Amino acid sequence: MQIMPPKKHASHSPSAQSGHAPRKRFGQNFLVDQGVIHHIVQAVNPQPQDVLVEIGPGLGALTDPLLARAGRLHVVEIDRDLIARLKQRYDPEKLTLHAGDALAFDFGALGERLRIVGNLPYNISTPLLFHLAGFAERIHDMHFMLQKEVVERMTAEPGGSAYGRLSVMLQYRFYLDWLFDVPPESFDPAPRVESAVVRLMPKPAAELCADMACLEKVVATAFSQRRKMLRNNLKTLFSTADLTALNLAPDSRPEQLPLAGFIALARRLAAKNDELP
Ligand code: SAM
């Protein structure tokens, strides 16, 4: 679904109205399209008992409607000027402000069944997704606005150039749902790229059958040089005979290997490590 661009007047933009100059280094593209904001909040469907967490509340475009629906909200914000504004504007009984870098934030300390939401700063979205994946056991779901190209990589099937480390690691740990696309005009300032909203829901433990450290190692090693064959990229970890024994074509490229192939490799690597004296 494509959401139509809003009718917008520059003097009505939230950053112009608030006097806050958007900071590029913090990926500050503020949402201004009420239709998109409404769609995101509808998709999240916050409930009063939820442990709801917003990453990068900014000028509060999502914070207001999330707080109105949930009654309480944690936010993680890095920009000191915005933190000062948030402190002034919101009741600390309702909004718990965590001042700092989301990339270093211990989301696990906030509780269980976390519901995490954010119009993420695009410059750190990939490392942030990997950081959040480390808390998957404590997460109920996540809804994020991201650069559309990142959502394409997250949800990519094997065989194309978008399929890579991000696709395999996230698809192993989460069910992914590409919800809708958002045009640049929905933000102030407008980013140069298209955006999209995606939902991530952790898979149950019973579906996870690989050791995470082994999977990370195998996936990073396999994709270290995309154009090379698996047998070359993986030669420090597996012999050609190992690959053949797992029914994997040694001459194939990493981008052709489905998730199940990476899981088989991770399991084999774990077994090899166990065999070591
Ligand atoms: N939620 C607001 C909205 O939709 O209008 C702002 C979204 S803006 C794309 C990204 C927000 O993340 C900004 O408020 C920015 O200051 C904040 N931010 C950037 N890097 C951050 C980091 N490392 N940790 C926490 N917040 C960060």
Side-chain angles (χ1 to χ4, degrees), residues 127-226:
L128 190 51
L129 288 166
F130 280 118
H131 179 65
L132 288 161
F135 300 100
E137 279 174 16
R138 301 212 163 216
I139 292 171
H140 176 65
D141 62 16
M142 304 195 277
H143 292 80
F144 293 135
M145 173 87 74
L146 290 158
Q147 199 173 323
K148 187 170 167 182
E149 179 263 333
V150 172
V151 178
E152 278 163 4
R153 289 198 282 124
M154 291 164 73
T155 55
E157 301 282 333
S161 60
Y163 185 71
R165 184 169 161 246
L166 189 68
S167 335
V168 177
M169 294 311 298
L170 291 183
Q171 289 174 27
Y172 173 70
R173 202 62 192 79
F174 298 95
Y175 300 113
L176 301 174
D177 215 352
W178 181 332
L179 298 181
F180 53 88
D181 295 342
V182 180
E185 297 80 13
S186 300
F187 304 84
D188 174 53
R192 275 199 229 107
V193 292
E194 293 281 324
S195 303
V197 175
V198 65
R199 177 186 290 136
L200 300 90
M201 292 193 74
K203 291 183 177 174
E207 284 195 32
L208 307 175
C209 51
D211 174 85
M212 262 326 258
C214 289
L215 185 66
E216 272 165 19
K217 174 122 185 152
V218 161
V219 174
T221 311
F223 282 109
S224 58
Q225 300 194 65
R226 299 186 66 94

Side-chain angles (χ1 to χ4, degrees), residues 17-36:
Q17 276 178 341
S18 68
H20 175 80
R23 295 195 163 104
K24 213 172 172 183
R25 73 176 185 284
F26 291 145
Q28 289 177 357
N29 299 96
F30 299 107
L31 260 172
V32 291
D33 184 332
Q34 291 305 318
V36 172

Side-chain angles (χ1 to χ4, degrees), residues 51-273:
V51 185
L52 198 61
V53 187
E54 185 188 3
I55 299 176
L59 293 165
L62 288 168
T63 318
D64 282 348
L66 289 173
L67 201 50
R69 297 270 291 263
R72 287 185 60 87
L73 180 64
H74 290 273
V75 297
V76 185
E77 174 60 61
I78 199 169
D79 184 320
R80 284 194 196 150
D81 292 346
L82 295 177
I83 291 164
R85 284 162 187 268
L86 292 161
K87 268 190 189 150
Q88 279 198 337
R89 178 162 159 194
Y90 292 100
D91 176 355
E93 294 283 314
K94 294 183 175 169
L95 188 104
T96 310
L97 184 52
H98 304 274
D101 185 351
L103 281 174
F105 187 73
D106 179 9
F107 288 89
L110 299 182
E112 305 277 342
R113 288 182 60 79
L114 304 178
R115 307 200 64 205
I116 307 181
V117 184
N119 168 21
L120 295 187
Y122 292 174
N123 49 345
I124 58 158
S125 56
T126 302
L128 190 51
L129 288 166
F130 280 118
H131 179 65
L132 288 161
F135 300 100
E137 279 174 16
R138 301 212 163 216
I139 292 171
H140 176 65
D141 62 16
M142 304 195 277
H143 292 80
F144 293 135
M145 173 87 74
L146 290 158
Q147 199 173 323
K148 187 170 167 182
E149 179 263 333
V150 172
V151 178
E152 278 163 4
R153 289 198 282 124
M154 291 164 73
T155 55
E157 301 282 333
S161 60
Y163 185 71
R165 184 169 161 246
L166 189 68
S167 335
V168 177
M169 294 311 298
L170 291 183
Q171 289 174 27
Y172 173 70
R173 202 62 192 79
F174 298 95
Y175 300 113
L176 301 174
D177 215 352
W178 181 332
L179 298 181
F180 53 88
D181 295 342
V182 180
E185 297 80 13
S186 300
F187 304 84
D188 174 53
R192 275 199 229 107
V193 292
E194 293 281 324
S195 303
V197 175
V198 65
R199 177 186 290 136
L200 300 90
M201 292 193 74
K203 291 183 177 174
E207 284 195 32
L208 307 175
C209 51
D211 174 85
M212 262 326 258
C214 289
L215 185 66
E216 272 165 19
K217 174 122 185 152
V218 161
V219 174
T221 311
F223 282 109
S224 58
Q225 300 194 65
R226 299 186 66 94
R227 303 311 309 156
K228 283 200 174 178
M229 290 183 238
L230 272 185
R231 74 176 142 86
N232 288 326
N233 277 349
L234 292 176
K235 68 181 173 213
T236 55
L237 302 178
F238 301 102
S239 65
T240 302
D242 284 333
L243 299 180
T244 314
L246 292 172
N247 284 326
L248 306 178
D251 293 349
S252 60
R253 316 256 171 215
E255 69 191 35
Q256 293 170 295
L257 195 63
L259 175 60
F262 284 104
I263 292 173
L265 285 169
R267 291 169 67 103
R268 181 75 195 101
L269 183 63
K272 271 175 171 259
N273 290 344

